[in-house]
Amino acid sequence: MITTDFASGSPCWIDLGVPDVPAAAAFYRAVLGWEYESMGGGGEGPEGGMFRKDGGIVAGLGTLTEEGARPAWMIYHSVADADATTRAVEGAGGTVRVAPMDLEDWGRMAQYSDPLGGQFAVWQPGKTKGVERVDQPGSLCWTELYTSDAAAAKEFYGGVFGWQFGDMEMPGGGGTYTLITPAGQPEERMHGGLMQLREQDLALAGGRPYWHPVFAVTDCDAAVAAATGNGGSVQMGPEDAEGVGRLAVCLDPAGADFVVLQPSEG
């Protein structure tokens, strides 16, 4: 589970970069019940703001400005020292995409690519620790990495964040799924997973690994119907995963991927 006490290395923030902010705001309102709160911009410049669910901040949203970048969700992990994490990323073979920078007194952020090209970010909290609502319907409940080399991913992210890993075999010969737990935390604090896929199955990111968020919903089929009815599409599902729940892998109208999960009862 993800909690808002944000243990070191755990997901603490997510934001979405898309070409059309108003269109994305309308889509996620229809699918997840989010309200968009603009923080300014628009017109000729980039626009940005926050998504809220039941009053609590659940994500950020902004205009995609990086040349050649695909619309996508970015997952930020909580760290005590973004500069030290940057050195660890470089030492482990990763690349710095955005050097550590302060966002006023809110906190300090940096963005990276892992050695195979998977993009991720960190947040050193200042006044803001991260999102305000998690592990509830309409909010982040899990994170996931699709990669072409699970062993390399475990070595890299384990070195950077100290994550603990546990492998499990997926039903029906579906391969190995690796569960991720923050350093020094018990298993109930697992916050994500990673899975090895063939490069041709990573076409969404041009063959490179990619992270995506998993959002809890009360009704997976209804969420999928809302997604497809509002310009989105479905890559997989809905289908039942034993002991996990009912889930589907979706794309929003801009092509950013995310998962909706109706958790198993009990």
Side-chain angles (χ1 to χ4, degrees), residues 190-244:
M190 287 177 186
H191 65 249
L194 66 88
M195 187 166 62
Q196 181 167 311
L197 299 175
R198 302 172 303 171
E199 282 193 18
Q200 56 263 44
D201 295 326
L202 301 172
L204 196 63
R208 298 188 307 275
Y210 57 92
W211 287 92
H212 56 218
V214 178
F215 300 119
V217 295
T218 55
D219 186 327
C220 178
D221 294 78
V224 167
T228 56
N230 285 274
S233 59
V234 179
Q235 283 194 306
M236 184 198 79
E239 63 182 41
D240 296 316
E242 185 178 354
V244 176

Side-chain angles (χ1 to χ4, degrees), residues 21 24 31 35 47 76 78 92 104 170 180 188 193 198 218 221 224 234 237 243:
V21 165
V31 176
E35 298 294 336
E47 180 181 354
Y76 292 73
S78 185
E104 299 182 359
M170 297 178 67
I180 303 170
E188 57 263 28
R198 302 172 303 171
T218 55
D221 294 78
V224 167
V234 179

Side-chain angles (χ1 to χ4, degrees), residues 145-156:
L145 172 66
Y146 289 166
T147 180
S148 56
D149 190 334
K154 287 191 280 187
E155 181 178 359
F156 173 78

